[in-house]
Amino acid sequence: MKYSCDLISDLLPLYKDEICSEASRKIVEEHLAECPDCKKILNSLNDVTIDEKIVKEKEEVIGTQAKFFKRKSALAGSIIGLIFSIPILVCLIVNLATGAGLTWFFIVLAGILVAASLIVVPLMLRENRMFITMASFTASVMLLLGIVCIYSRGDWFFVAAASTLFGLTMCFAPFIAYRRPVNAYLKNNKGLAIMTAYTATFVLMMLAIGLHVGMSEFFPLAFAISMPLVGLCWAIFAIVRYLRMNAAVKTGLSIASVGVLSGVLAQLVINAANAGRATGVVVTSAPSLALILSIGGVGLLIAGIGFLVGINKGGKNNENK
């Protein structure tokens, strides 16, 4: 049975992609053996030169547009940088003209650098914008704090710098960890790296505050309060991130951890405060043992229920298989 060329031409794309039925494939092949016109159509379909040309032109257009926007972005950054240089130049002239020397000029300069790090730097960069922008912003903020501290003849720089660094880490560490080039080094350890950064900057802040205050009672009391909380955060992180159990088990164990560490925290605070009465803080009461045990018990109960539910679901899944 002969078929029309119109019918065969409709089947040719399916035949080319090898998604037609066996019967259709035989019909097409029989027709192609006798019809040079349809065979020519099939050859044109197999010719990928046009597709490659389209893809190449598409990539060239995208590349041209990307270069165009990068040039525009760099131009905008340059213009904004020139605008920022105007108040710097004015302040420099005024500072020198008034005979004050280069004093508060550096404060203005550092303040404008902070703004430039968030506006000009990302416009001028082509790669790793998040990482370099946040690094330049942190450096400019530290510079501003240092200049103000020197100008005011203070001794608070390390406290302010450590506290600011901790705050910036809390806000931006997750974003930096998931952006280039940091994400390539961290791979699957991003959560661990973020928690480590939080802990390190927090401990640095506590040390800076303690050294600035100069009170030997500060460290026992402050670390007695803060370190169990840090430990609780690490415990919950480890449970949620690394424990291969269902959500109910993780929730229960997290609640139990809160209950246990609440008792530990209360006892440490009592010991540290009563041992350092010079601070004026004396703790004579703590959460009752029954309350602590009840919190931990509820958590363990939830974890147990979740564990049993997980076993039951696993058994049913195996039966279904």
Side-chain angles (χ1 to χ4, degrees), residues 208-222:
I209 294 173
L211 292 174
H212 179 73
V213 172
M215 293 168 47
S216 59
E217 295 86 0
F218 172 82
F219 287 107
L221 181 59

Side-chain angles (χ1 to χ4, degrees), residues 40-172:
K40 191 178 294 184
I41 294 174
L42 177 63
N43 292 333
S44 65
L45 291 175
N46 290 327
D47 187 6
V48 297
T49 305
I50 297 177
D51 294 337
E52 291 177 351
K53 187 176 180 181
I54 294 174
V55 171
K56 185 178 179 180
E57 290 179 353
K58 177 184 175 182
E59 292 176 350
E60 289 177 354
V61 171
I62 293 175
T64 302
Q65 291 297 318
K67 291 179 181 179
F68 172 77
F69 285 114
K70 286 177 181 177
R71 288 196 297 269
K72 289 292 184 181
S73 177
L75 178 61
S78 301
I79 294 173
I80 295 174
L82 290 174
I83 294 173
F84 280 157
S85 66
I86 295 174
I88 294 176
L89 182 60
V90 171
C91 290
L92 175 62
I93 295 173
V94 172
N95 209 189
L96 293 175
T98 56
L102 297 178
T103 52
W104 51 265
F105 162 76
F106 290 108
I107 299 177
V108 175
L109 176 62
I112 292 178
L113 288 178
V114 172
S117 66
L118 294 175
I119 300 174
V120 178
V121 171
L123 290 174
M124 302 296 291
L125 294 174
R126 294 187 177 183
E127 297 179 353
N128 306 326
R129 290 186 178 183
M130 172 65 76
F131 177 76
I132 298 177
T133 299
M134 292 316 306
S136 61
F137 174 71
T138 302
S140 60
V141 170
M142 297 301 168
L143 178 63
L144 177 61
L145 292 174
I147 293 174
V148 173
C149 184
I150 294 172
Y151 184 71
S152 62
R153 297 181 181 179
D155 58 350
W156 45 264
F157 170 74
F158 291 106
V159 175
S163 303
T164 302
L165 183 62
F166 173 65
L168 292 175
T169 303
M170 289 292 294
C171 294
F172 298 110

Side-chain angles (χ1 to χ4, degrees), residues 279-317:
T279 61
V281 180
V282 179
V283 181
T284 57
S285 62
S288 64
L289 180 62
L291 177 61
I292 296 171
L293 292 177
S294 64
I295 296 175
V298 169
L300 292 176
L301 178 62
I302 295 174
I305 294 173
F307 180 73
L308 294 175
V309 170
I311 292 177
N312 188 30
K313 284 186 176 181
K316 288 183 178 180
N317 292 334

